[in-house]
Amino acid sequence: MSDLQIVNASKTYGTVGVLNQVNLEISSGEFVVFVGPSGCGKSTLLRMISGLEEISSGEIWLDGRVVNDVDPAKRGVAMVFQNYALYPHMTVFDNMAFSLTMAGAPKKERMERVEKAAEILRLGHLLDRRPGQLSGGQKQRVAIGRAIVREPKVFLFDEPLSNLDAELRVQMRAELVQLHAKLKSTMIYVTHDQIEAMTLADKMVVMNGGVIQQVGRPLDLYDDPNNKFVAGFIGTPKMNFLNARVAQVFDDRVVLSQIGGTDTGILEVPFHQFDQSIKEVQIGVRPEHVRILGNVEPSASMPVTVALVEELGDMTVIHTDLPNGERLTAQSHGGRYAGIANACATVDATHVLVFDREGNRLRGAKLS
Amino acid sequence: MSDLQIVNASKTYGTVGVLNQVNLEISSGEFVVFVGPSGCGKSTLLRMISGLEEISSGEIWLDGRVVNDVDPAKRGVAMVFQNYALYPHMTVFDNMAFSLTMAGAPKKERMERVEKAAEILRLGHLLDRRPGQLSGGQKQRVAIGRAIVREPKVFLFDEPLSNLDAELRVQMRAELVQLHAKLKSTMIYVTHDQIEAMTLADKMVVMNGGVIQQVGRPLDLYDDPNNKFVAGFIGTPKMNFLNARVAQVFDDRVVLSQIGGTDTGILEVPFHQFDQSIKEVQIGVRPEHVRILGNVEPSASMPVTVALVEELGDMTVIHTDLPNGERLTAQSHGGRYAGIANACATVDATHVLVFDREGNRLRGAKLS
Amino acid sequence: MSDVANMEVSVARSKATGTRRASEARRRISDATVWTVLKWTIAICVAIVAIFPLWWMFNVVFSEPGVPVSINPRLYPTSISAGLRNIAIIFTETGYLRAYYISVVYTLLTIGGILLVSSMAAFEFALFDFPGKKIMFAIVMLSLMVPKAVTLVPTYLLTVQLGWLNTMQGLVVPGLASAFGLFMLVQFMKSLPTEMIEAARLDGANHFQIYLHVVLPLSRNALVTLAILTFMHTWGNFSWPLIVAPNPTMYTVGQVVGLFNAPYSHTTVDIAMTANLLAAVPPLIFFLIFQRQIVEGIASSGSKG
Amino acid sequence: MSARVTKTTPHYLMLLPFMLLFAVFFLYPIVSGLIYSFFDWAGAQPTTFVALENYTKVLNSRNFNKAASNLLLYVSITVPLGLTIAFCLALLVDSFSGFWAKFFRSAFFMPVVMPLFLAATIWRWMYAPNFGLLNTILGWFGFESVQFLNNVNTMLYCLIAVDVWVSAGFNMVIILAGLKNVPKHYYEAARLDGANKLQQIFYVTIPSIRPVLFFVVTYSLISALQVFDVPWLLTGSSFAEYGGRANTLLFPVMDIMGRGFGAVKFGQAAAYGFMLTALIIAVTAVMFALRKKVGEV
Amino acid sequence: QEKVVLDYWVYSDFAQGEALKLQQSFISEFEAKHPGVKINIAGKGDDDLLTGQIAGAASGTGPDVFMNSTSAGAALVQAGALKNVYEDWMAMPQEYRDQFNKDLIAMCTPKPQTMYCLPYTGFGSFMFRNLTVLKEAGIDPATPIKDWNDWVAQMEKVKAKGKYGIPDMTQVWGSFLNIYSGIAEPNEWGADFEKKKTLINPDKYAKTAELFVKMKPYSTGTSINDQATRDLFISNQLAFYINGPWANPPFEQAAKNSNLKYDWVLIPGAHEGKNGGVQGYEFIGVAPKKNAKLAWEFAAYVTEKQQMVRWAAALGRYNSNQASLTDPAVASHPLLAITYKAAKTALFNKPPFFSGVYPNSYWSAITDNASAIEDGNMTPEEGAKKLIEELNEILSDG
Ligand SMILES: Nc1ncnc2c1ncn2[C@@H]1O[C@H](COP(=O)(O)OP(=O)(O)OP(=O)(O)O)[C@@H](O)[C@H]1O
Ligand SMILES: Nc1ncnc2c1ncn2[C@@H]1O[C@H](COP(=O)(O)OP(=O)(O)OP(=O)(O)O)[C@@H](O)[C@H]1O
Ligand SMILES: [Mg+2]
Ligand SMILES: [Mg+2]
């Protein structure tokens, strides 16, 4: 029921445009995550949906009606703030019951609804405390509880976990997944933590500079990004981007050369009907598709200098420099780094993405 | 030259003990990282070394003399604070030169030393600015610069990167590594970020509850932790801990059963001369040593229910529940999760760690 | 057929939403404008009430002489030259300039002294622990509650014993240990980050240098606020100069104005008002110059109460 | 031991100037005032010890009850009223931004800057019967002229109006500063929860700035209990005659000044002063106790 | 030879303009006669003068020679600010002593062998009349006002023209006395500090209060000290204004600038032949300090006839040196003439001087009572009875 459509929404502060012609459809029950670098407009978009921020142009439809001018409290949305915004002078109960108090709900109803929410979040024993007496994770849960009590059609979360420590974040993430499964409400979630985004989202919205870059399932974005920004933004360590020349074009593949400025840097990338007019491209390779080899030099490998090795237990990240100064990062699992300084790198050509000079993804023609 | 010894150091606030009989040796030029959960006493220990905090009992030796009563400024240590503690009313130059000004150094010397430090940190063009006009990373560098100018024997860092965003942290981490390589001073670094600890440390000190749990090279701690705390604290996703019964003891291995409360949960763990009196143990298995298989049920595999799957692109984390309710997390790379709900898990017995009921590591006798 | 019906329905609905939206928007706009108009009206009215007296006095000074003042509300100045003449009379025929000088010196020395002495004490009370701190601070705070009227004479007798009658130090020194100033600065300094002070300690700054190079500059807003309040208080202080500096060569502006305001004074209203107005000018200027800092300064001092 | 001493020495050195001046010019006069309050003391004349006579004389004097009840009434109106108005003004200024916020802030603060004798002169004129501004305005509406400052029913309220006018700006600025520190998210959360503007003020603003309010209330109380110059000037008082018609604007500090310099009974004045001090300390203590009870956030 | 410096404190209006010039010439004359003596004059507002003298007496650092109102004399005696100058006085030639107003000398000598000061300047109050208003009301200013009834009748006529008759005379004790003196005798005013009883005559007080009630409809509601009252007079809205000679300068200026037409007459009394009015005096006193001898000489010098003649002639101000007032240079001054006339029948402001300090609520009790009667809260008789009780109580309270 609670479908949300954002149509051509823009937002300007004075003359500064913050959001530019945003279009987005969110269906009922979906868990949507907005990601993007700081200042890209995630919070602004969220706040426009909540009604806390006015919309400069365009429309927001909720359940089939335009809500541009509807009071925030009447939109049926609830918001969980980054720093929780719990009222420090009220008990947990009063915090959670606040919206009901404002609506003048009778005491009995307040008790019931708060207790129900408290049960879902296992907050029952904390209802008499003040926020100051709670741990970070508990505060977080109270903030969510306050939203649940309102029984909103749409939950909005603005980086709700960013104030928690790593362990608690993992835990709360799992709780959020369960909560979504239980309540089945639409949830919109802002974060700039990728892992959060990937693990939580049904649908991930990647934004940059006030523009939506790509919308899709997390793994689709990971495997098949539309542009360099999305490709680079998703995945840690970050995807490697290398310049390459188009050497030869075949019907089902393209041969790229001069990778890393080396003559041996040649890749045959599967590609259906590459546009012959393009001579210069950038390729994107994820670190897990790069292999660093000892001093052996097989053909089609590039000589690299190891700059920094980060051994993180199971995973080893090796930062290397190519002869032309480009950085190439490789990631491997299980083994331990042997301690070589000069090495060779090979790239798995089947996982290489090709971008044009502007950073847009070049895709092979669909086979009909 | 700048060896540091901490001998039986304790710290109490009133009646509350915060550090308990800490002993630690740090050799000249080492990069030592203190890790541990919040409140475990990392900062307190660091501040005791700096002299900002008085030591309740025990001794701190620096370069062969006891410095317990030496003024902080005269210990030859420099500290970089979490929130930088730059003086907002002074320019970057004045901030960096402050210690020299206090020491009454002539202008020329101040200029020279500040410029040298600024060069190392690429701050040359910022010397006239005030801290308010700097970005987070730049402030961070100024704070380090202020320390460098003093040419200290020991650098102390208290979570210097925790206020930065993820990308900047990665970058600053690399810079710190280079700085250490360049200056070759002793550096002591407090963090509760594991990745930071693992990538930076020559020697890692894991603390909990005011007690040092283990000291060693990061990978040694990862592979060979002394106790459950260290094992669980290092590594993400966290190590799995499962209860087990000692079924049979051989000279070079021990057979554990009832893992996950299942009859098929049997592991033969290589172990030299297991103490026969122990009947109940806990085993620790890192997620990368757990494999989740489809519905096939080979012997020595345990039936599990998949609770949550987190697909992070290259890596997939599968949280499962064992029949006795224990959680078992597995991690795999490259592949994508097939979407099964009931599955089987196997554990790589060669990588299993054994702990007693108190959480202390049980180690096989050394082969003489 | 059914398609057509559907279409009609949807058209009707969109019309309905259209009109409802329009009316909602109108209501919102009118609500907003009512609120805005109300807000501005109140703000302007209060501003008038607040500024009017000064404006009125200005008009009285700059008005045609001889026109009764109180029954012809002066809403605007009528004669600039008369005002200038009044000012000239004040400056040439009375000791006003000298009083200005005395008052300015008195005020500035007091400000300087209070800022120095109480910031040093506040530095200790706010940032460090040492034996006797609590009791000393409590006694100082208690003194805030003793009315000035009680201590006026004993303080005066003491000052006389020191031989400071009719001297600048007699005016200034007894007022320097301001409990209010100390209280304000302590509240402010409590909010300074301790790391800043620790960093300075590590940098080799001694106790006094930390105060001088770190804490003082960081307390700038609070110091400015205290300076403004002290300015106003000292400039308006009447009873102390009156008894401790009775010699005309030491008259402050307040005392000179007091001469004009005396019931049996021969002067006419406009001259008396001119004297009053001129007395208001320095605090006004001081305030206008520094008013930006006052909010931040008071903020951090007030918030901890 | 000696290490400890040298460690704490700098603290005392820094405190020395203040504490020395304080001890000499505040503590000593207070203590000697306290001693004099037990003596019959008329300036230079030899003083005789009279034990508690000064205190009993003050307590039994005709004016004491009047001054005390005036003070009670005055404080119980002017403090809440003044703070409410200051609070509203702070909200008002807070709702503006940029130039106008600064403008109104400065404008509202203006009365604080103005010397008091000036303010009093002008207010006396505003209150004047028949031709004063207020009566002129009342006249437009057909009301009879009110002798604001000479009518026992209006005098106190006239004083309170001036008092509020004088002090509102100061309190406003402090409250305003407190308002700026309230995280915006609280208001947004409350808006989403359906709280209207008024509810936001009661449920968010006031609780959030409680420490500031505490400061303002306490300070206002202490100052109001020592009220002196405004009623003194407003009633055109002199040492011979003060307090206005029927002593309606007679307050303890005025009486202290009058007894001291008018009747030359400094012993009584001091005794009076210390009784007032005791009251102020009691009120302040109650305030602190209340704060403890409500609990600090 | 060491220079002796004497501090000489006067009211602020003595240290302004014309008056200051004259004072300074007295000083330089005196200095010329006494080489090595320097006199510093300082002007002070009323309360400031008292405060400074009391504080100065307490610390022994007050002025050497100073003036104040005789009504503040008792307080200064109590504070120990005044030296007993009886012997110095008696040492002066008889001729000098005869110059002074006998009543005042008696007032300055409250006890045998105890004299606290020399009487100095003074004032008598009278009534300013706005001739324009009177003309409009059809009143001939040339016909003297017979008595209170006549007076009230005039006010009624003034009021009929929409003008005001008189300021509210109950607000300040001085203006009250200006009316009461129109019916009371000198021994019916002030207090007896021995018996702790007020001397006010209740019947006469009640009569006075009756007059207040009658005048109320014609009153401006403002006190005589309010700026508004003077402004009303200047702008031809007010017929009668009662005050001392110091109120004249603004009127004089208005007469020049805006054609104010006014004159002055004695304050009408309750019946024909009786006039109201208040006389008050400033004294010049000497502090019990090292240079008291010189200070006395200076005090004696400025109060001497020669100086007082110049003073009166230049400023038109009254003084207590009777001899000076009869000097032809002085008698012709119109303001002085009326003051002189007024003082003959006027009551002293707060007698007796130099003996008892009036408790601070004494004076306000009177004005409060009068106001209450004027407002109709009590009948004059009730009020009078109550007032006497109240004042006696205040006096015995101390
Ligand atoms: N009130 C405002 N006035 C002007 N610009 C604003 C305002 N609020 C936000 N902006 C600008 O709008 C842009 C988007 O802000 P927004 O808060 O939506 O970013 P975000 O994506 O949530 O970033 P973050 O991850 O840091 O929270 C930023 O560049 C910000 O500077
Ligand atoms: N001044 C103090 N008085 C009392 N207890 C203190 C004081 N300072 C610190 N503690 C306590 O000492 C313990 C250790 O504090 P410390 O700051 O060293 O922890 P930490 O390991 O640095 O934690 P974090 O990662 O949160 O910074 C904490 O439990 C803290 O509450
Ligand atoms: Mg945001
Ligand atoms: Mg810490």
Side-chain angles (χ1 to χ4, degrees), chain A residues 94-288:
Chain A
D94 290 337
N95 262 287
M96 288 173 65
F98 189 66
S99 59
L100 300 175
T101 314
M102 290 300 104
K107 180 138 195 211
K108 190 147 159 286
E109 190 190 337
R110 277 185 283 168
M111 296 277 285
E112 274 168 16
R113 277 168 70 176
V114 169
E115 268 161 24
K116 202 175 117 207
E119 197 185 337
I120 295 175
L121 296 163
R122 304 189 313 280
L123 286 170
H125 58 296
L126 301 175
L127 289 178
D128 290 335
R129 298 224 193 143
R130 303 242 166 139
Q133 301 164 310
L134 300 180
S135 75
Q138 288 168 336
K139 275 187 206 159
Q140 175 55 57
R141 288 213 295 272
V142 174
I144 296 174
R146 187 166 62 174
I148 291 179
V149 166
R150 297 188 51 211
E151 296 174 358
K153 289 176 269 180
V154 181
F155 282 90
L156 306 173
F157 296 90
D158 195 352
E159 314 204 16
L161 305 184
S162 64
N163 282 351
L164 304 181
D165 67 25
E167 202 170 330
L168 210 48
R169 267 158 101 146
V170 173
Q171 203 178 313
M172 290 305 303
R173 228 153 67 196
E175 293 197 10
L176 274 174
V177 171
Q178 283 168 18
L179 189 73
H180 183 227
K182 221 179 268 175
L183 298 178
K184 300 203 170 52
S185 327
T186 311
M187 293 192 173
I188 305 179
Y189 190 103
V190 166
T191 181
H192 51 227
D193 180 315
Q194 272 198 53
I195 303 206
E196 240 167 80
M198 306 250 340
T199 53
L200 290 172
D202 291 329
K203 187 192 260 176
M204 197 158 138
V205 178
V206 182
M207 297 178 67
N208 190 29
V211 175
I212 292 186
Q213 301 289 325
Q214 194 168 355
V215 179
R217 296 197 316 115
L219 287 182
D220 290 347
L221 299 191
Y222 186 85
D223 292 335
D224 191 16
N226 272 349
N227 54 35
K228 247 181 89 179
F229 176 81
V230 176
F233 190 76
I234 297 176
T236 7
K238 216 175 140 169
M239 183 182 265
N240 296 292
F241 294 105
L242 305 173
N243 288 320
R245 283 224 191 112
V246 178
Q248 242 184 316
V249 177
F250 298 96
D251 194 41
D252 62 346
R253 66 188 195 280
V254 56
V255 181
L256 305 174
S257 67
Q258 287 292 323
I259 294 167
T262 62
D263 291 338
T264 50
I266 293 173
L267 281 178
E268 279 195 36
V269 179
F271 203 107
H272 210 73
Q273 294 175 352
F274 191 83
D275 179 347
Q276 305 244 2
S277 64
I278 299 174
K279 293 294 165 213
E280 305 266 312
V281 295
Q282 279 193 294
I283 60 167
V285 193
R286 296 216 178 266
E288 62 256 33

Side-chain angles (χ1 to χ4, degrees), chain E residues 83-92 113 115 293 296:
Chain E
K83 177 178 182 273
N84 182 353
V85 292
Y86 185 74
E87 280 173 19
D88 304 282
W89 167 253
M90 293 312 286
M92 295 305 280
Q113 318 276 311
M115 179 175 181
K293 189 95 200 116
W296 163 260

Side-chain angles (χ1 to χ4, degrees), chain D residues 16-32:
Chain D
L16 191 66
F18 184 91
M19 292 313 289
L20 196 70
L21 286 168
F22 177 77
V24 173
F25 292 106
F26 283 85
L27 217 47
Y28 168 76
I30 288 174
V31 171
S32 60

Side-chain angles (χ1 to χ4, degrees), chain C:
Chain C
M1 160 69 200
S2 73
D3 274 355
V4 172
N6 265 349
M7 244 173 66
E8 274 174 10
V9 168
S10 80
V11 166
R13 200 172 56 201
S14 77
K15 252 191 198 155
T17 41
T19 47
R20 203 185 59 232
R21 269 192 69 193
S23 76
E24 236 167 45
R26 217 176 299 127
R27 204 197 64 227
R28 277 172 69 98
I29 285 169
S30 69
D31 272 5
T33 42
V34 165
W35 166 235
T36 314
V37 167
L38 196 70
K39 188 174 99 173
W40 278 92
T41 318
I42 296 174
I44 289 170
C45 288
V46 177
I48 288 173
V49 171
I51 300 178
F52 180 76
L54 197 72
W55 177 239
W56 178 75
M57 193 161 50
F58 179 81
N59 294 337
V60 170
V61 172
F62 289 91
S63 65
E64 298 290 348
V67 182
V69 171
S70 55
I71 48 179
N72 295 302
R74 301 293 176 79
L75 299 179
Y76 44 88
T78 51
S79 167
I80 298 301
S81 60
L84 295 177
R85 202 158 51 240
N86 287 337
I87 293 173
I89 289 173
I90 293 279
F91 279 141
T92 52
E93 297 187 8
T94 72
Y96 214 91
L97 275 177
R98 161 174 223 104
Y100 248 9
Y101 167 76
I102 298 285
S103 270
V104 167
V105 173
Y106 168 39
T107 306
L108 292 184
L109 283 179
T110 305
I111 290 176
I114 285 188
L115 292 194
L116 179 71
V117 169
S118 48
S119 68
M120 276 165 69
F123 170 69
E124 297 299 341
F125 281 128
L127 298 170
F128 301 96
D129 259 322
F130 47 87
K133 164 179 153 170
K134 280 219 167 105
I135 179 80
M136 280 197 270
F137 193 64
I139 290 175
V140 175
M141 287 302 106
L142 274 185
S143 75
L144 263 183
M145 297 166 197
V146 181
K148 279 269 155 49
V150 179
T151 54
L152 190 63
V153 173
T155 315
Y156 162 73
L157 294 180
L158 180 69
T159 314
V160 169
Q161 275 167 26
L162 291 170
W164 287 357
L165 203 64
N166 288 319
T167 61
M168 194 48 88
Q169 65 266 36
L171 277 177
V172 174
V173 176
L176 289 187
S178 154
F180 176 78
L182 177 76
F183 180 57
M184 227 193 90
L185 292 181
V186 165
Q187 293 305 328
F188 177 85
M189 287 184 187
K190 271 186 184 165
S191 64
L192 293 180
T194 47
E195 285 93 345
M196 212 79 84
I197 287 140
E198 294 182 336
R201 262 180 85 192
L202 278 175
D203 278 347
N206 64 30
H207 201 61
F208 185 74
Q209 285 171 321
I210 293 176
Y211 160 77
L212 189 67
H213 294 291
V214 179
V215 172
L216 266 196
L218 289 179
S219 312
R220 198 173 139 246
N221 280 339
L223 292 173
V224 170
T225 307
L226 181 56
I228 293 180
L229 296 180
T230 307
F231 191 110
M232 277 150 15
H233 179 252
T234 313
W235 191 268
N237 193 348
F238 188 71
S239 45
W240 181 246
L242 178 69
I243 63 167
V244 89
N247 194 314
T249 54
M250 289 297 290
Y251 276 177
T252 59
V253 168
Q255 281 168 280
V256 172
V257 171
L259 298 181
F260 286 100
N261 287 350
Y264 301 127
S265 157
H266 286 294
T267 44
T268 50
V269 194
D270 44 353
I271 295 286
M273 277 298 159
T274 309
N276 279 302
L277 183 70
L278 289 175
V281 170
L284 208 64
I285 291 174
F286 200 79
F287 168 70
L288 289 178
I289 292 175
F290 292 110
Q291 58 96 13
R292 223 152 34 89
Q293 260 94 4
I294 204 164
V295 170
E296 289 92 11
I298 292 186
S300 26
S301 51
S303 59
K304 291 250 176 90

Side-chain angles (χ1 to χ4, degrees), chain E residues 101-373:
Chain E
N101 181 332
K102 295 274 167 315
D103 289 348
L104 272 168
I105 293 296
M107 285 276 199
C108 291
T109 316
K111 281 181 281 187
Q113 318 276 311
T114 308
M115 179 175 181
Y116 284 115
C117 61
L118 278 176
Y120 193 17
T121 53
F123 71 87
S125 62
F126 49 89
M127 182 160 86
F128 296 91
R129 296 192 301 178
N130 186 309
L131 300 177
T132 315
V133 174
L134 293 187
K135 194 169 155 206
E136 219 174 302
I139 298 163
D140 177 14
T143 348
I145 302 169
K146 270 210 307 282
D147 55 16
W148 283 355
N149 288 333
D150 190 17
W151 196 20
V152 170
Q154 288 199 1
M155 289 183 210
E156 194 178 353
K157 281 189 203 152
V158 168
K159 184 70 192 178
K161 292 289 170 206
K163 302 294 164 75
Y164 294 97
I166 191 161
D168 186 350
M169 300 302 279
T170 61
Q171 288 190 26
V172 184
W173 69 269
S175 53
F176 162 82
L177 182 55
N178 271 317
I179 306 298
Y180 177 69
S181 54
I183 189 166
E185 298 307 318
N187 60 359
E188 290 166 337
W189 177 240
D192 181 339
F193 284 96
E194 304 275 274
K195 301 202 186 96
K196 296 192 183 299
K197 290 266 182 296
T198 180
L199 297 177
I200 290 177
N201 178 324
D203 296 333
K204 291 189 174 168
Y205 175 80
K207 293 259 164 47
T208 312
E210 257 171 50
L211 177 63
F212 287 138
V213 175
K214 278 191 212 152
M215 289 196 303
K216 186 171 172 114
Y218 320 122
S219 147
T220 61
T222 54
S223 101
I224 55 159
N225 289 337
D226 285 339
Q227 183 59 38
T229 311
R230 291 174 218 197
D231 285 349
L232 283 173
F233 189 79
I234 290 171
S235 56
N236 300 329
Q237 307 270 341
L238 175 64
F240 305 116
Y241 178 67
I242 298 175
N243 212 333
W246 57 83
N248 191 44
F251 297 163
E252 212 168 64
Q253 194 196 39
K256 255 188 258 148
N257 289 332
S258 58
N259 290 324
L260 171 68
K261 292 195 178 59
Y262 73 106
D263 70 351
W264 45 65
V265 293
L266 293 180
I267 301 164
H271 40 80
E272 214 169 344
K274 176 106 180 115
N275 283 91
V278 177
Q279 57 180 327
Y281 291 89
E282 288 86 38
F283 65 84
I284 183 161
V286 169
K289 285 170 56 176
K290 207 174 71 202
N291 295 315
K293 189 95 200 116
L294 262 179
W296 163 260
E297 277 174 35
F298 178 71
Y301 179 74
V302 286
T303 48
E304 202 192 343
K305 183 179 172 197
Q306 277 316 317
Q307 282 62 258
M308 284 297 100
V309 168
R310 283 185 277 166
W311 179 258
L315 302 168
R317 298 284 293 272
Y318 187 61
N319 66 64
S320 55
N321 190 312
Q322 298 286 14
S324 72
L325 296 175
T326 47
D327 191 284
V330 170
S332 60
H333 194 291
L335 205 53
L336 195 92
I338 184 82
T339 316
Y340 187 55
K341 247 196 314 184
K344 282 197 175 129
T345 55
L347 299 186
F348 283 118
N349 47 5
K350 289 181 178 177
F353 305 135
F354 301 99
S355 51
V357 180
Y358 280 100
N360 32 46
S361 38
Y362 186 89
W363 303 104
S364 45
I366 298 174
T367 48
D368 288 346
N369 188 284
S371 299
I373 297 172

Side-chain angles (χ1 to χ4, degrees), chain D residues 22 44 66 75 154 216 234 237 271:
Chain D
F22 177 77
K66 184 74 187 163
V75 169
T154 55
V216 174
L234 222 47
S237 291

